[in-house]
C-alpha cells in the first residue's frame, strides 16, 4: 500500500546499513586472522629456538627476535582497532577549533624525540591556521605520514614537513627521499594491508588507510605523488570551510 511505502523504504535503508556493518566486521575478522598469523608464528619459532639452544648468545638473539615480533603484532593490533573505531563514524565526535600550526609543531617535536634516523626540515606558515577537528586524530594522521617517510627513507636523509595555505585552504605535506612507488600503485596505497612487492621496510599496510579515513572525517583528502627528484610526497589538503587568521 502507498501508505506503507515510506516505512518499507526506511526498513530497507536500515537493513542496508546493517549489512554494511556486518560486512565490515567480517572483513576486520578475516584481515586480523590473516595479518596476525605471520608475526605470531615467527615469535613462536624464536621462542622454541630460545628454549632448545644451550648457547647463551643464540638464546638472547632468539629472545630479542621474539620481542621484536611481539612488538610488530602489538602495533598491528593497535592500527586495526583504530581503523575499526573510525570505520563506522559518519562524522567527527565533538570537533573543536584547532590551531594546525601548533599541532604540526607538536607532532614534529615528538617524532624527533623518538627517532634520529632522518633530519626533519620544517616549513610552517607563520599565520595561525584554524580548522575544525579532533586533535588526537589529526596527530595520528600526521604522525603516520612522518613515520612512513622515515621508514622508507635511507639513513641520514631529510624529511620535509610543510604547512601552508593554497587558495585560503590548509595543506600539510610530508616529502621523503625514499624509492617512491610506481604510478600504477599510487591509488592502491590507501587500501587495507596493501604493500608494494618492492617494499622491504616493515609495516602493517594500514598507516595510509588510517590517514585517508581521518582526512575524510575532517573534510580533507589525502594526496600521494612521486617527487620529480625521487621519493614520495603525501599531502593532507582541506576541501573548504576552514579559516586562516593572521
Amino acid at each position: 500500500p502507498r501508505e506503507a511505502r515510506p516505512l518499507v523504504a526506511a526498513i530497507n535503508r536500515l537493513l542496508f546499513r546493517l549489512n554494511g556493518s556486518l560486512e565490515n566486521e567480517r572483513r576486520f575478522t578475516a584481515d586480523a586472522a590473516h595479518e596476525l598469523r605471520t608475526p605470531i608464528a615467527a615469535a613462536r619459532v624464536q621462542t622454541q629456538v630460545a628454549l632448545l639452544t644451550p648457547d647463551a648468545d643464540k638464546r638472547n638473539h632468539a629472545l630479542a627476535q621474539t620481542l621484536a615480533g611481539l612488538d610488530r603484532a602489538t602495533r598491528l593490533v593497535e592500527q586495526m582497532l583504530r581503523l575499526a573505531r573510525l570505520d563506522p563514524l559518519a562524522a567527527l565526535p565533538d570537533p573543536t577549533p584547532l590551531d594546525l600550526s601548533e599541532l604540526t609543531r607538536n607532532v614534529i617535536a615528538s617524532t624527533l624525540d623518538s627517532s634520529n634516523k632522518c633530519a626533519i626540515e620544517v616549513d610552517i606558515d607563520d599565520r595561525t591556521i584554524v580548522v575544525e577537528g579532533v586533535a588526537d586524530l589529526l596527530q595520528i594522521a600526521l604522525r603516520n605520514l612522518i613515520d612512513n617517510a622515515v621508514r622508507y627513507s635511507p639513513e641520514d636523509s631529510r624529511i620535509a614537513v610543510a604547512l601552508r595555505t593554497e587558495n585560503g585552504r590548509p595543506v600539510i605535506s610530508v616529502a621523503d627521499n625514499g624509492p617512491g612507488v610506481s604510478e600504477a600503485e599510487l591509488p592502491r596505497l590507501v587500501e587495507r594491508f596493501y604493500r608494494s612487492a618492492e617494499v622491504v621496510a616493515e609495516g602493517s599496510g594500514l598507516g595510509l588507510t588510517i590517514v585517508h579515513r581521518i582526512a575524510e572525517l575532517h573534510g580533507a583528502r589525502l594526496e600521494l605523488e612521486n617527487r620529480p627528484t625521487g621519493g614520495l610526497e603525501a599531502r593532507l589538503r582541506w576541501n573548504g570551510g576552514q579559516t586562516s587568521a593572521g
Side-chain angles (χ1 to χ4, degrees):
R2 181 178 303 171
E3 294 81 3
R5 290 176 186 173
L7 177 61
V8 171
I11 292 174
N12 282 338
R13 288 194 297 269
L14 176 62
L15 292 175
F16 182 79
R17 291 196 298 269
L18 178 60
N19 181 68
S21 298
L22 292 174
E23 180 59 33
N24 285 338
E25 183 176 343
R26 285 193 293 267
R27 182 171 59 176
F28 176 84
T29 304
D31 288 344
H34 175 75
E35 294 298 324
L36 287 171
R37 186 180 297 119
T38 299
I40 289 175
R44 187 173 187 274
V45 169
Q46 293 296 337
T47 303
Q48 290 174 331
V49 170
L51 288 173
L52 295 175
T53 182
D55 185 277
D57 290 338
K58 291 182 180 179
R59 183 167 58 250
N60 289 337
H61 176 74
L63 289 173
Q65 292 296 103
T66 300
L67 184 60
L70 293 175
D71 286 342
R72 287 194 294 273
T74 300
R75 287 194 298 270
L76 177 58
V77 170
E78 290 172 347
Q79 295 276 61
M80 293 182 69
L81 290 176
R82 185 172 292 130
L83 192 56
R85 295 187 188 104
L86 292 172
D87 268 344
L89 295 180
L92 286 172
D94 303 320
T96 59
L98 301 173
D99 182 352
L100 270 186
S101 302
E102 180 182 1
L103 184 144
T104 302
R105 289 190 178 95
N106 289 340
V107 172
I108 292 171
S110 65
T111 303
L112 288 173
D113 290 340
S114 61
S115 174
N116 57 6
K117 174 185 174 182
C118 299
I120 297 182
E121 295 180 347
V122 182
D123 181 13
I124 296 180
D125 197 311
D126 291 335
R127 295 174 297 173
T128 299
I129 300 174
V130 178
V131 299
E132 289 282 329
V134 177
D136 288 346
L137 292 181
L138 285 178
Q139 287 171 350
I140 289 168
L142 183 53
R143 191 173 294 115
N144 278 0
L145 291 181
I146 296 176
D147 287 346
N148 267 9
V150 172
R151 182 179 298 116
Y152 297 115
S153 294
E155 293 279 350
D156 301 323
S157 59
R158 293 185 176 275
I159 308 298
V161 180
L163 169 62
R164 60 189 181 276
T165 57
E166 294 180 1
N167 299 320
R169 299 173 182 176
V171 179
I172 300 177
S173 63
V174 179
D176 63 50
N177 293 312
V181 298
S182 68
E183 293 297 323
E185 287 184 303
L186 277 175
R188 300 198 61 190
L189 294 182
V190 298
E191 295 179 12
R192 297 166 190 256
F193 301 109
Y194 181 79
R195 284 170 58 79
S196 170
E198 300 176 1
V199 169
V200 295
E202 293 180 358
S204 65
L206 285 175
L208 291 179
T209 308
I210 291 173
V211 175
H212 176 70
R213 183 68 182 118
I214 291 174
E216 284 182 333
L217 290 171
H218 283 82
R221 64 181 184 272
L222 173 63
E223 300 174 344
L224 301 170
E225 184 179 41
N226 284 311
R227 303 173 68 193
T229 56
L232 184 74
E233 181 173 352
R235 292 184 294 270
L236 288 177
R237 185 186 300 276
W238 270 257
N239 299 320
Q242 275 64 45
T243 60
S244 175

